[in-house]
Amino acid sequence: MDEPESIAGLTLAARENLDNLTFIVNCNLQRLDGPVRGNGQIIQELESLFIGAGWNVIKVLWGSEWDGLFARDKDLVLLRRFAETVDGQYQDLGSKDGDYNRAKFFDTDPATRDLVAHMTDAEIHALKRGGHDFRKLYAAFAAAKAHKGRPTVILAKTKKGYGMGNAGESRMTAHQSKKLDMEALVAFRDRFDLPLSEADLEALKFYRPADDSPEMTYLRTRREGLGALCPLAIRAGRPFPRCPRWQATANSRPKPRGARCPPRWRLFA
């Protein structure tokens, strides 16, 4: 998103007041050749870029598990720690467990250390980034839909390889990972509480909710609302009006000799 080809037309959408246009940028902080901004913060850069282009910007940075900490943080010490932590450090923190995050992020400041003193390492490890929190994303899309007069961009902070654990979560190896070993599959199942046995994991079976489950009922309802399981966007157009005068002109036009296309097209053929 920080490349010239991606940002060249941003001002056009704002100038034309395209408030029915919403971009969502998945900010997982890394790309194939390494961190996007190892010694900076790409989300802050993108926010400045879109605001300068006239867009409405919504940032979804931290999940619901952080809400209690924000409510208790009267001196805004968390905001200070977030501001002074660069993306390279966030990548390191995202690839480690709760005890490492406690020592390297929270314990470096007595104020933040006290904020999480009541939390276990497992609870610290469960603190999600905002792009993995469906409630936060729903709220962001609702706010984008309600905004009028300007296009909206949602900057969602995520982890590359979310759920892969030591096999690739927030690690550059996530780009090259083709499959998970049994240990990684078990960790993935336990993390998301999937009802799969180890035999199912060995057979690489997918989890499918029961047909009468709320999830499947919702999916079928939404697909029916769209017209079919694979809806087709077919719109019957109005017939082109016939004009005898134009038809006569078209019929009387001489065809060019020695060419398969009209002369004005020949240059571009």
Side-chain angles (χ1 to χ4, degrees):
M1 191 62 233
D2 61 334
E3 297 177 356
E5 296 84 350
S6 301
I7 64 178
L10 293 182
T11 55
L12 172 65
R15 185 171 66 250
E16 298 298 328
N17 300 323
L18 301 183
D19 54 12
N20 63 339
L21 175 65
T22 299
F23 279 8
I24 179 165
V25 182
N26 175 24
C27 302
N28 58 40
L29 311 184
Q30 67 185 67
R31 50 190 171 196
L32 289 174
D33 56 351
V36 179
R37 292 291 184 272
N39 59 351
Q41 294 187 350
I42 183 59
I43 292 180
Q44 304 304 100
E45 291 185 29
L46 292 177
E47 179 185 23
S48 300
L49 172 69
F50 277 95
I51 289 177
W55 286 57
N56 174 46
V57 177
I58 299 174
K59 294 192 294 185
V60 186
L61 303 183
W62 308 108
S64 301
E65 297 81 6
W66 290 85
D67 290 350
L69 296 178
F70 291 140
R72 297 174 56 240
D73 183 15
K74 305 301 182 182
D75 298 323
L76 305 181
V77 292
L78 277 177
L79 295 183
R80 185 177 69 246
R81 285 291 292 124
F82 290 149
E84 63 190 19
T85 303
V86 298
D87 287 353
Q89 293 173 305
Y90 278 125
Q91 286 298 94
D92 179 53
L93 294 169
S95 65
K96 302 296 195 304
D97 292 334
D99 57 342
Y100 186 90
N101 278 261
R102 182 193 296 275
K104 297 296 184 179
F105 182 80
F106 292 104
D107 286 356
T108 56
D109 188 313
T112 52
R113 180 185 60 204
D114 294 341
L115 277 177
V116 297
H118 65 290
M119 299 177 66
T120 65
D121 291 342
E123 290 173 331
I124 292 178
H125 184 62
L127 295 172
K128 291 197 299 285
R129 295 181 181 176
H132 301 299
D133 189 318
F134 296 142
R135 290 182 176 86
K136 300 287 186 178
L137 290 175
Y138 182 90
F141 277 110
K145 185 177 180 180
H147 187 81
K148 302 301 179 184
R150 290 184 297 168
T152 295
V153 60
I154 299 173
L155 304 177
K157 191 171 190 176
T158 63
K159 291 182 182 180
K160 173 75 78 173
Y162 178 67
M164 293 177 64
N166 294 332
E169 181 170 327
S170 198
R171 301 169 188 258
M172 290 307 303
T173 54
H175 291 107
Q176 289 79 37
S177 296
K178 304 302 181 184
K179 61 181 180 180
L180 301 180
D181 58 22
M182 190 61 184
E183 181 181 356
L185 288 172
V186 171
F188 185 92
R189 177 201 62 185
D190 295 344
R191 178 167 186 174
F192 295 106
D193 196 23
L194 298 175
L196 295 171
S197 65
E198 294 195 7
D200 293 334
L201 297 179
E202 291 178 352
L204 299 178
K205 289 186 177 181
F206 290 99
Y207 168 62
R208 178 186 174 92
D211 288 340
D212 58 349
S213 65
E215 296 84 0
M216 296 300 291
T217 301
Y218 173 80
L219 288 175
R220 283 194 296 268
T221 301
R222 297 302 303 152
R223 300 314 303 177
E224 292 170 359
L226 293 173
L229 293 179
C230 295
L232 299 177
I234 299 178
R235 178 181 297 177
R238 294 180 298 174
F240 190 81
R242 293 182 176 274
C243 180
R245 180 170 59 85
W246 293 350
Q247 188 64 42
T249 301
N251 293 337
S252 63
R253 180 180 179 182
K255 295 182 180 180
R257 296 181 179 181
R260 296 183 179 179
C261 57
R264 67 178 182 275
W265 295 349
R266 202 176 304 161
L267 180 63
F268 306 102

